[in-house]
Amino acid sequence: MSGTGSDAILARMMSLHPKVIDLTLDRVWRLLAALDHPERRLPPVIHLAGTNGKGSTQAMIRAGLEASGDRVHAYTSPHLARFHERIRLAGELISEEALSDLLDRTHAANGPDPITYFEITTAAALLAFAETPAEWTLLETGLGGRLDATNVVERPALTVITPIDLDHQQYLGETLEEIAGEKAGILKRGVPCVVAPQHEAALEVIEAKAARLGAPLMAHGQHWHVTTEAGRLVYQDERGLLDLPLPRLRGPHQIINAGTAIASLRMLGRDGAAAEAATGASWP
């Protein structure tokens, strides 16, 4: 191993950052090819995009899947204290030894070629996930969706779009419609998508993209509903009504995140994991 630890290798990776950021997947595809395409060897992928609630929604989906006995990889960003928080292997945060080895190999495969910090570390995470057995892989976008470094899986099991608002307008577009179009870029032909509450303009963009791709939507307000009543979380869809404890994660926005996670789990056939999704999640 050429580095002295993950922090040293991450610092070297920062030096590869292009002088001008242009949103493209070309750099990621080049590196993934050099790594023998780990994105093709992942456990089934659940891909999340959106402006708000991605991390909490992912944590709730993971809690539900793990309560069902599944091993789950998870990739999220940014981290709060240490980079290790971004990569969870089969339920456990990646160790320093494993992370250092992983980053060292990814850095060597990339060589001196320009690449963004997020792109090269995402490739490293995908390599870790491909090499570690699990039942599921949760991938959270970093910026947008269509040209995000995580958007390299040809056919995920499910996509999830959390609430969209104006963000990163210098990269994603000035209007809500443009931003929604970028985030809807994670939709794949024939792959179902769970959609959290959206502004009407954003929802119209998502619906149009889904129609073009034949991607079934499970959208809030149409196919599922969530609210609180008498200190309980009440979720309802065509399969019935669930009366559940309030989410462990606090705040009114967590009701929506819990509903999105429950809808996702039910799409994956994990109907019995709803309560665990709400009460078992911790974030970060």
Side-chain angles (χ1 to χ4, degrees), residues 55-210:
S56 296
T57 301
Q58 187 200 90
M60 292 182 189
I61 295 173
R62 178 168 60 84
L65 292 173
E66 290 177 343
S68 301
D70 294 337
R71 296 166 297 176
V72 184
H73 298 326
Y75 181 59
T76 188
S77 63
H79 58 273
L80 290 184
R82 302 193 70 199
F83 182 89
H84 306 63
E85 299 165 19
R86 299 188 182 209
I87 301 175
R88 190 175 288 270
L89 294 176
E92 302 295 331
L93 292 180
I94 191 168
S95 68
E96 169 62 19
E97 180 180 6
L99 179 60
S100 295
D101 175 69
L102 181 73
L103 295 175
D104 206 47
R105 287 190 288 144
T106 307
H107 185 266
N110 184 78
D113 294 330
I115 192 166
T116 72
Y117 181 83
F118 185 74
E119 289 166 350
I120 193 170
T121 53
T122 297
L126 296 176
L127 181 61
F129 297 155
E131 294 178 343
T132 306
E135 280 68 54
W136 299 98
T137 303
L138 288 165
L139 296 179
E140 177 188 328
T141 59
L143 176 65
R146 182 176 65 93
L147 296 175
D148 187 80
T150 61
N151 197 26
V152 291
V153 177
E154 183 176 353
R155 189 173 178 83
L158 180 71
T159 60
V160 180
I161 300 181
T162 65
I164 295 172
D165 216 324
L166 297 176
D167 73 307
H168 294 104
Q169 289 166 273
Q170 68 271 39
Y171 299 116
L172 303 181
E174 292 296 325
T175 69
L176 196 59
E177 291 87 346
E178 290 175 309
I179 294 169
E182 290 297 316
K183 294 182 187 291
I186 69 166
L187 270 67
K188 299 294 186 293
R189 186 169 301 280
V191 174
C193 177
V194 171
V195 183
Q198 303 291 344
H199 297 290
E200 183 177 352
L203 182 59
E204 289 177 355
V205 171
I206 296 168
E207 289 176 330
K209 180 68 177 288

